[in-house]
C-alpha cells in the first residue's frame, strides 16, 4: 500500500471536504470537456451540412450512430476499470491502480483493433440494415470506414480520460480535449475543401481530421502523465501489468459487460428509431441529425454529474466513507435540475438560430428540427435524474438491474410508444417516444436507488467490525447456525445489544 499522489500528479482526494464544492470542481472540467467535444462535433456538422449538403449530414448521422454501437462493446469495460481505479485510489493502493490500468490497456487495445477490422468489412451491410437513404449511402460508407480505422486510437484516448477521472483528475482530460478540438477545427475545413496545398477529400477529410486530432492529443496526454508521475503510468518493471490479471479481468467483464450492454440497448433502440426516421425522408433525417447536435449540449450536465458521482462514490467506498454517498447523490440531482433546466431553456429560445447554422436558415428542415426539439428536449431533465442514480449505483458494482431498467425503457416504453402511437400521432409519436423513455428510466432508476440492493457488500466501520468480532467470539463453536443468524453485509447496522439478544435467543432454544 502506498500513497497515490506525487508532487506533480493532478489526482484529487474526493473523500474529504464539502461535497457540493468537490462535485462542482470535479464536474465542471468534465462538463467543459463534453462541451468542447460537442462544439467540435457541431462545427464539423456545420462544415459538412453547409458545404457538402443535407445528404452528407444525413450520412454522418448514420455513420455516428453505428460508431456509437461499436464503442458500446468496450465502453462498459472501460467504465468498470474506472470504478476499480477510483476504489483503489480511495484505498491508497497504488499497485492496484497500476495493475488495473495495465489490465485495461492490455485488453482494450487488441479488442479495439479487432472491432476496427470487423467494422471496416461489414460497414456496407450495417448501412443496408439501417436503411440509409441511397443518396447518402456512399458518403456514409466513406465516413464510417475512416471512423473504424481510427477506432483503436479513439477508444484508447477515451479509456485514458476515464481512468484519469477515476483518480480524481478531471482537469488533464479537459486540456487534451481542448487540444484535440483545436486541431480538428483547423484541419476539418482544410481537408473538406482542399485549402492551400491540401487535397479536397470531402466527407473523408472530416473523419480523417478527427482521427489526426485524437492521435496527437493521446500522445500529448500520455507524455504529460509520465512527466507528472501519474499513478496510472507504468514504468519499465511495471509493463508486466499489461499482461492481464485474470482476477481483475474477470471482475471487469462481470461488471463491465452489463454496463456495455446498457450502451448497446440504447444504441440498438436508436438504430431502430433512426430506421423509422429515415422513412420520413432526407430532410427529416437531416433535421433529426441537427437536433441531435442540440441534444448533445442538453445532456452534457447529466453526463458530467454522473461521471462525478461515480468517481466520488467509488473513492468514498474505497475509503469506507459511506456517510457521504447519499449527499453526493443529492447534490448531483440538485445540480442536474439547475444546469439541465438552464440548457433546455436556452436552446428552446434560440433553436431557430442554432439549427440554421447546421441546415442553412432557408432550409425547410429547420422547421422540422424546431418541432422535434420542442416535442422531445424537455425529457432530458429526467434523463439527468436517471444518470445521477445510475452513476451512484454503478460505483459499487450494481449494474444488472440498471441494465434491466434501460432495456424496459428503450424497448417496451420508447419503441412501443413510437410504433403503437404512430397510427394516431404520425411522426410526433417518434419525437414523443424520447421523453416517454426518459421519464420511465428516471422513475425506475429512483426506485432502484431507494429500494435496490446496491448498498450490499459495503465495508464495515471500525465500530461495526468490533461489534461483529465480539458477536462471533461469543457464539463460534457453540452453535453452527450462528453464522446464518448474522448478516453478511453491513447494509443494516447491527448494534451490540442486538447481538446479545440473538445470543440469548439461541441459548434459550438449546
Amino acid at each position: 500500500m502506498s500513497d497515490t499522489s506525487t508532487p506533480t500528479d493532478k489526482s484529487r482526494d474526493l473523500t474529504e471536504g464539502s461535497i457540493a464544492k468537490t462535485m462542482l470542481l470535479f464536474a465542471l472540467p468534465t462538463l467543459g470537456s463534453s462541451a468542447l467535444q460537442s462544439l467540435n462535433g457541431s462545427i464539423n456538422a456545420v462544415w459538412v451540412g453547409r458545404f457538402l449538403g443535407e445528404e452528407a449530414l444525413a450520412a454522418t448521422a448514420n455513420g455516428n450512430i453505428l460508431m456509437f454501437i461499436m464503442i458500446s462493446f468496450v465502453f462498459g469495460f472501460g467504465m468498470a476499470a474506472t470504478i476499480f481505479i477510483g476504489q483503489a485510489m480511495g484505498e491508497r493502493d497504488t499497485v492496484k491502480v497500476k495493475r488495473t490500468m495495465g489490465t485495461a490497456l492490455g485488453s482494450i487495445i487488441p479488442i479495439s483493433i479487432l472491432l476496427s477490422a470487423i467494422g471496416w468489412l461489414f460497414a456496407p451491410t450495417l448501412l443496408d440494415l439501417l436503411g440509409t437513404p441511397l443518396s447518402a449511402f456512399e458518403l456514409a460508407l466513406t465516413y464510417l470506414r475512416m471512423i473504424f480505422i481510427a477506432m483503436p486510437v479513439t477508444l484508447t484516448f477515451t479509456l485514458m480520460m476515464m481512468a484519469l477521472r477515476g483518480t480524481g483528475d478531471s482537469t488533464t482530460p479537459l486540456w487534451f480535449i481542448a487540444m484535440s478540438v483545436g486541431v480538428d477545427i483547423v484541419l476539418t475545413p482544410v481537408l473538406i475543401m482542399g485549402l492551400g496545398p491540401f487535397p479536397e477529400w470531402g466527407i473523408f477529410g472530416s473523419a480523417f481530421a478527427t482521427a489526426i486530432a485524437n492521435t496527437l492529443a493521446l500522445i500529448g496526454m500520455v507524455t504529460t502523465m509520465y512527466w507528472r508521475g501519474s499513478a496510472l503510468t507504468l514504468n519499465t518493471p511495471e509493463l508486466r501489468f499489461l499482461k492481464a490479471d485474470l482476477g481483475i479481468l474477470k471482475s471487469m467483464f462481470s461488471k463491465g459487460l452489463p454496463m456495455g450492454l446498457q450502451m448497446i440497448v440504447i444504441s440498438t433502440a436508436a438504430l431502430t428509431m433512426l430506421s423509422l426516421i429515415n422513412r420520413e425522408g432526407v430532410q427529416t433525417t437531416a433535421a433529426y441529425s441537427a437536433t441531435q447536435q442540440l441534444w448533445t449540449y442538453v445532456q452534457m450536465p447529466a453526463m458530467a454529474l454522473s461521471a462525478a458521482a461515480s468517481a466520488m462514490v467509488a473513492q468514498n467506498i474505497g475509503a469506507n466513507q459511506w456517510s457521504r454517498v447519499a449527499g453526493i447523490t443529492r447534490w448531483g440531482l440538485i445540480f442536474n435540475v439547475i444546469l439541465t433546466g438552464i440548457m433546455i431553456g436556452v436552446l428552446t429560445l434560440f433553436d431557430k438560430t442554432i439549427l440554421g447554422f447546421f441546415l442553412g436558415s432557408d432550409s425547410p428542415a429547420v422547421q422540422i428540427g424546431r418541432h422535434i426539439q420542442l416535442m422531445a428536449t424537455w425529457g432530458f431533465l429526467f434523463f439527468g435524474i436517471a444518470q445521477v442514480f445510475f452513476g451512484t449505483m454503478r460505483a459499487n458494482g450494481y449494474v444488472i438491474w440498471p441494465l434491466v431498467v434501460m432495456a424496459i425503457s428503450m424497448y417496451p416504453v420508447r419503441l412501443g410508444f413510437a410504433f403503437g402511437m404512430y397510427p394516431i400521432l404520425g411522426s410526433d409519436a417518434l419525437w414523443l417516444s424520447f421523453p416517454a423513455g426518459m421519464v420511465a428510466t428516471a422513475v425506475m432508476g429512483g426506485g432502484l436507488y431507494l429500494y435496490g440492493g446496491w448498498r450490499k457488500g459495503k465495508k464495515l466501520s471500525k465500530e461495526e467490525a468490533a461489534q461483529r468480532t465480539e458477536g462471533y467470539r461469543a457464539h463460534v463453536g457453540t452453535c453452527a447456525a450462528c453464522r446464518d443468524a448474522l448478516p453478511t453485509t453491513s447494509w443494516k447496522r447491527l448494534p451490540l445489544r442486538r447481538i446479545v439478544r440473538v445470543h440469548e435467543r439461541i441459548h434459550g432454544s438449546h
Side-chain angles (χ1 to χ4, degrees):
M1 304 281 278
S2 61
D3 197 340
T4 54
S5 63
T6 65
T8 55
D9 192 358
K10 297 298 183 181
S11 302
R12 179 184 291 120
D13 189 341
L14 304 178
T15 65
E16 299 177 350
S18 165
I19 290 175
K21 181 179 178 180
T22 301
M23 177 167 277
L24 279 180
L25 288 176
F26 185 91
L28 288 178
T30 305
L31 180 59
S33 298
S34 299
L36 287 173
Q37 287 178 307
S38 298
L39 178 63
N40 186 39
S42 298
I43 292 173
N44 285 346
V46 170
W47 287 115
V48 170
R50 297 295 292 271
F51 290 95
L52 299 178
E54 292 177 353
E55 288 80 7
L57 190 59
T60 61
N62 284 265
N64 286 336
I65 201 166
L66 284 171
M67 179 63 179
F68 182 76
I69 196 171
M70 296 299 289
I71 289 177
S72 299
F73 283 101
V74 294
F75 175 83
F77 184 80
M79 181 58 71
T82 302
I83 291 169
F84 294 152
I85 288 169
Q87 292 182 357
M89 290 291 293
E91 296 167 2
R92 305 296 193 269
D93 189 343
T94 303
V95 174
K96 187 176 179 181
V97 171
K98 292 178 180 291
R99 194 181 296 276
T100 303
M101 188 74 254
T103 297
L105 283 174
S107 303
I108 279 187
I109 292 175
I111 290 173
S112 65
I113 292 172
L114 178 62
L115 289 177
S116 179
I118 293 172
W120 171 275
L121 292 174
F122 291 97
T125 304
L126 292 170
L127 291 173
D128 278 332
L129 291 174
L130 190 56
T132 304
L134 289 177
S135 60
F137 189 91
E138 288 301 322
L139 291 170
L141 180 60
T142 299
Y143 182 81
L144 184 61
R145 279 184 160 165
M146 184 60 236
I147 285 178
F148 278 128
I149 290 174
M151 179 177 283
V153 168
T154 301
L155 294 183
T156 303
F157 186 37
T158 301
L159 172 65
M160 298 299 293
M161 289 191 295
M162 293 168 68
L164 280 167
R165 290 172 185 141
T167 69
D169 179 8
S170 58
T171 305
T172 300
L174 171 62
W175 293 120
F176 287 97
I177 282 290
M179 173 183 171
S180 175
V181 169
V183 173
D184 201 5
I185 287 175
V186 172
L187 278 183
T188 295
V190 169
L191 295 180
I192 284 178
M193 296 180 288
L195 301 178
F198 294 93
E200 184 180 348
W201 280 344
I203 197 169
F204 173 82
S206 174
F208 186 78
T210 300
I212 293 296
N214 285 341
T215 301
L216 293 175
L218 174 61
I219 294 171
M221 186 166 67
V222 171
T223 302
T224 300
M225 288 168 63
Y226 273 93
W227 175 68
R228 288 176 175 171
S230 169
L232 298 172
T233 55
L234 303 178
N235 298 316
T236 302
E238 297 162 341
L239 291 177
R240 68 185 188 279
F241 292 153
L242 291 172
K243 182 179 180 181
D245 180 295
L246 294 182
I248 294 175
L249 188 62
K250 181 179 178 180
S251 296
M252 283 184 183
F253 274 112
S254 64
K255 301 302 182 186
L257 182 59
M259 287 188 281
L261 288 175
Q262 282 188 44
M263 300 291 291
I264 292 173
V265 165
I266 295 171
S267 303
T268 53
L271 285 171
T272 304
M273 288 297 300
L274 186 57
S275 67
L276 296 176
I277 293 167
N278 281 335
R279 297 176 187 176
E280 303 292 321
V282 171
Q283 284 191 349
T284 299
T285 302
Y288 174 67
S289 178
T291 305
Q292 282 185 308
Q293 294 294 327
L294 273 65
W295 289 352
T296 58
Y297 292 98
V298 175
Q299 68 185 351
M300 284 190 306
M303 301 308 293
L305 291 167
S306 179
S310 284
M312 291 180 69
V313 172
Q315 283 201 21
N316 279 275
I317 288 174
N320 200 22
Q321 297 282 354
W322 275 89
S323 60
R324 291 169 59 88
V325 170
I328 292 168
T329 307
R330 181 171 60 253
W331 277 108
L333 294 173
I334 292 171
F335 288 141
N336 167 71
V337 170
I338 295 171
L339 296 176
T340 303
I342 291 173
M343 293 298 297
I344 291 172
V346 169
L347 291 177
T348 300
L349 289 173
F350 299 103
D351 59 350
K352 182 177 181 180
T353 302
I354 297 170
L355 288 168
F357 286 134
F358 303 112
L359 301 164
S361 58
D362 57 347
S363 171
V366 170
Q367 290 304 317
I368 300 174
R370 294 187 70 193
H371 182 70
I372 295 171
Q373 194 277 137
L374 184 63
M375 298 289 283
T377 305
W378 60 270
F380 282 95
L381 196 65
F382 296 90
F383 169 83
I385 291 172
Q387 289 306 309
V388 172
F389 284 139
F390 289 163
T392 296
M393 292 186 287
R394 70 172 174 246
N396 201 31
Y398 190 75
V399 291
I400 299 296
W401 278 105
L403 170 62
V404 173
V405 165
M406 193 62 67
I408 293 172
S409 299
M410 293 296 103
Y411 287 96
V413 178
R414 178 185 288 184
L415 294 181
F417 188 99
F419 280 102
M421 298 302 293
Y422 191 88
I424 300 173
L425 300 176
S427 61
D428 282 351
L430 304 180
W431 320 133
L432 288 173
S433 69
F434 287 95
M438 293 173 190
V439 170
T441 306
V443 171
M444 290 185 284
L448 283 182
Y449 176 80
L450 293 174
Y451 305 111
W454 66 274
R455 297 174 182 84
K456 289 183 179 180
K458 75 179 186 180
K459 297 179 180 179
L460 296 174
S461 68
K462 292 181 180 179
E463 179 185 356
E464 291 170 321
Q467 292 170 357
R468 184 73 57 84
T469 300
E470 291 301 317
Y472 277 116
R473 286 176 180 172
H475 301 301
V476 68
T478 63
C479 176
C482 290
R483 290 183 181 271
D484 296 332
L486 296 175
T488 57
T489 74
S490 62
W491 187 11
K492 295 182 179 180
R493 292 185 179 272
L494 191 62
L496 185 58
R497 61 180 178 272
R498 183 177 170 189
I499 296 176
V500 173
R501 287 200 299 269
V502 172
H503 172 75
E504 291 171 349
R505 287 199 300 270
I506 292 171
H507 280 273
S509 65
H510 286 185

